[in-house]
């Protein structure tokens, strides 16, 4: 970390720059299917924006870099991030449309379903960024695999961001977030392009399936053992990588899951968080981003590795109870989850 970045930090607080597309989410109300009735619930979201919002909620200087449509929809999207404390000075507006996605919440044995409508968005059209300026004073850069999946221009922008961060001494956080439908839409080289980002990352939020795509080596096992084997291969191939972590989810039905998490460090140390039984899930979207934001907060705070993992899992658990993409939670609320503080009314 360069001395300039260190001078700009308060103890336990960091400037984290997040890069990605802001989206409008149009959800069918309740458990209806899309347009079963002529009404939609609207939320602002996006994988990287979700992380920025949680980090801002937790007291960090979280900044978003993006491009939105030069219209009322883009203004509302940027304004919603500002409302939650995110620095949006690097969210610019340009010609093009806002990316959308449509969501119908599942029920019982019917899974939730996402339909993307984000081709030729303003974010995809305008992918040139001055990363040296945008990363000035930053301690962390957070990226995800969604942006490179949108097309060659955004893939190159994400690679450029990661390489600039590495050159400037800014730590790189990368969430694999593999989106097969998006890659297939333009026949993109997922393995080759994602590999270039993974090579710059200090921490990756990825499981054995993500690593298999990037390294071309399938792991013949499942669960925690598969993650550990994939991590060994990832550390051998990626010299900058220090941590690999992900959630472990067992789905009993749409409404009842068992959730845990695992983290593997470069020296081979493996940690597993406790299992949480989740029943009556309100909204699963954004839970992986909440996990990433919680883990980053723990690392910045200097928590012990077990506490880092457990705090991240607590954020993910809590997000399942909150409608929308954002995890609107305080550090105390997340700590209450991990300490099993109970369900009495907070007064």
């Amino acid at each position: 970390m360069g001395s300039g970045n260190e001078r700009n930090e308060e103890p336990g607080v960091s400037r984290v720059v997040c890069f990605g597309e802001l989206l409008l989410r149009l959800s069918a109300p309740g458990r209806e299917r899309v347009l079963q009735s002529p009404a939609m619930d609207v939320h602002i979201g996006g994988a990287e924006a979700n992380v920025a919002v949680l980090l801002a909620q937790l007291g960090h200087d979280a900044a978003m870099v993006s491009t939105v449509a030069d219209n009322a929809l883009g203004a509302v999207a940027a304004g919603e991030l500002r409302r939650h404390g995110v620095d949006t000075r690097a969210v610019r507006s340009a010609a093009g449309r806002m990316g959308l996605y449509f969501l119908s919440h599942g029920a019982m044995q019917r899974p939730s379903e996402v339909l993307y409508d984000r081709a030729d968005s303003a974010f995809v059209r305008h992918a040139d960024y001055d990363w040296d300026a945008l990363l000035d004073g930053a301690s962390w850069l957070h990226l995800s695999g969604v942006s490179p999946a949108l097309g060659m221009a955004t893939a190159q922008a994400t690679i450029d961001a990661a390489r600039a961060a590495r050159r400037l001494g800014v730590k790189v956080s990368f969430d694999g977030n593999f989106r097969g439908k998006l890659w297939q839409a333009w026949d993109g080289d997922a393995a080759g392009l994602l590999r270039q980002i993974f090579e710059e990352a200090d921490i990756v939020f990825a499981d054995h399936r993500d690593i298999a795509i990037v390294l071309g080596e399938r792991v013949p096992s499942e669960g925690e053992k598969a993650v550990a084997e994939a991590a060994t291969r990832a550390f051998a191939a990626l010299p900058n990588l220090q941590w690999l972590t992900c959630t472990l989810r067992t789905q009993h039905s749409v409404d009842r899951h068992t959730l845990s998490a695992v983290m593997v460090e470069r020296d081979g140390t493996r940690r597993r968080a406790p299992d949480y039984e989740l029943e009556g899930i309100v909204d699963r979207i954004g839970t992986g981003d909440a996990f990433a934001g919680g883990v980053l907060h723990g690392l910045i705070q200097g928590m012990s590795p077990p506490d880092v993992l457990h705090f991240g899992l607590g954020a993910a658990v809590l997000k399942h109870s909150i409608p929308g993409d954002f995890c609107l939670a305080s550090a105390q609320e997340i700590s209450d989850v991990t300490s099993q503080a109970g369900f009495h009314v907070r007064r």
Side-chain angles (χ1 to χ4, degrees):
M1 197 69 62
S3 59
N5 288 328
E6 292 168 4
R7 285 196 299 270
N8 289 336
E9 286 186 29
E10 300 174 23
V13 176
S14 284
R15 181 168 178 81
V16 183
V17 173
C18 301
F19 169 62
E21 184 170 24
L22 298 181
L23 297 169
L24 298 181
R25 168 178 135 180
L26 304 176
S27 304
R31 299 301 180 89
E32 293 184 9
R33 312 199 76 157
V34 170
L35 295 182
Q36 183 176 334
S37 63
M40 301 291 282
D41 296 327
V42 182
H43 296 277
I44 307 301
E48 306 83 1
N50 299 341
V51 173
V53 167
L54 177 56
L55 288 171
Q57 298 284 302
L58 297 176
H60 298 285
D61 180 9
M64 190 73 200
V65 176
S66 190
T67 303
V68 297
D70 187 12
N71 59 32
L73 299 179
V76 167
E80 184 68 3
L81 263 63
R82 283 195 298 275
R83 186 166 77 90
H84 294 299
V86 177
D87 179 353
T88 62
R89 288 175 294 175
V91 176
R92 62 191 182 185
S93 58
R97 57 185 291 262
M98 285 296 294
L100 312 175
Y101 78 96
F102 298 84
L103 171 69
S104 67
H105 291 285
M108 297 173 59
Q109 274 64 49
R110 175 173 60 84
S112 298
E113 188 172 357
V114 169
L115 173 65
Y116 289 115
D117 179 21
R118 51 201 296 184
D120 199 36
S121 67
F123 180 77
V124 172
R125 280 191 183 187
H126 307 278
D128 54 313
Y129 297 91
D130 182 352
W131 289 113
D132 282 35
L134 292 168
L135 293 172
D136 183 39
S139 298
W140 283 89
L141 168 69
H142 180 72
L143 306 166
S144 92
V146 178
S147 296
L150 296 173
M152 193 61 222
T154 53
Q156 190 60 57
T158 311
I159 293 168
D160 290 346
R163 288 176 174 169
R166 175 64 51 193
R167 173 170 50 80
L168 295 169
V170 176
K171 292 189 174 94
V172 178
S173 162
F174 184 58
D175 190 335
N177 263 339
F178 183 73
R179 298 290 187 268
K181 290 181 181 179
L182 295 177
W183 286 104
Q184 291 167 12
W186 61 288
D187 196 25
D189 177 15
L193 293 169
L194 290 173
R195 172 69 180 257
Q196 295 180 65
I197 307 167
F198 270 77
E199 287 175 346
E200 308 300 337
D202 294 271
I203 182 169
V204 295
F205 298 88
D207 63 14
H208 56 290
R209 291 162 293 193
D210 296 302
I211 299 303
I213 290 167
V214 172
L215 300 184
E217 301 177 11
R218 184 180 176 186
V219 176
S221 55
E222 292 294 330
E224 182 180 351
K225 181 180 178 182
V227 175
E229 291 181 20
T232 298
R233 299 181 187 188
F235 289 127
L238 307 169
N240 290 315
L241 186 62
Q242 302 302 315
W243 304 277
L244 182 146
T245 186
C246 66
T247 55
L248 301 172
R249 184 187 298 270
T250 301
Q251 302 182 63
H252 309 287
S253 72
V254 167
D255 296 309
R256 187 168 77 86
H257 297 179
T258 301
L259 192 69
S260 182
V262 62
M263 176 182 282
V264 186
E265 299 178 51
R266 186 163 192 87
D267 65 5
T269 301
R270 185 171 78 197
R271 305 179 194 281
R272 171 78 181 261
D275 287 351
Y276 283 80
E277 299 298 328
L278 310 181
E279 297 190 23
I281 292 169
V282 172
D283 196 330
R284 177 181 165 178
I285 301 298
T287 57
D289 306 320
F291 175 69
V295 166
L296 288 175
H297 172 75
L299 291 173
I300 292 166
Q301 287 283 305
M303 294 181 185
S304 68
D307 287 344
V308 168
L309 182 62
H310 201 179
F311 189 89
L313 180 60
V317 167
L318 193 56
K319 171 59 193 74
H320 285 79
S321 72
I322 302 170
D325 281 36
F326 299 154
C327 182
L328 303 175
S330 68
Q332 185 61 56
E333 289 172 320
I334 296 170
S335 295
D336 285 346
V337 170
T338 59
S339 65
Q340 300 181 337
F343 306 109
H344 58 279
V345 177
R346 305 291 195 265
R347 298 185 188 277

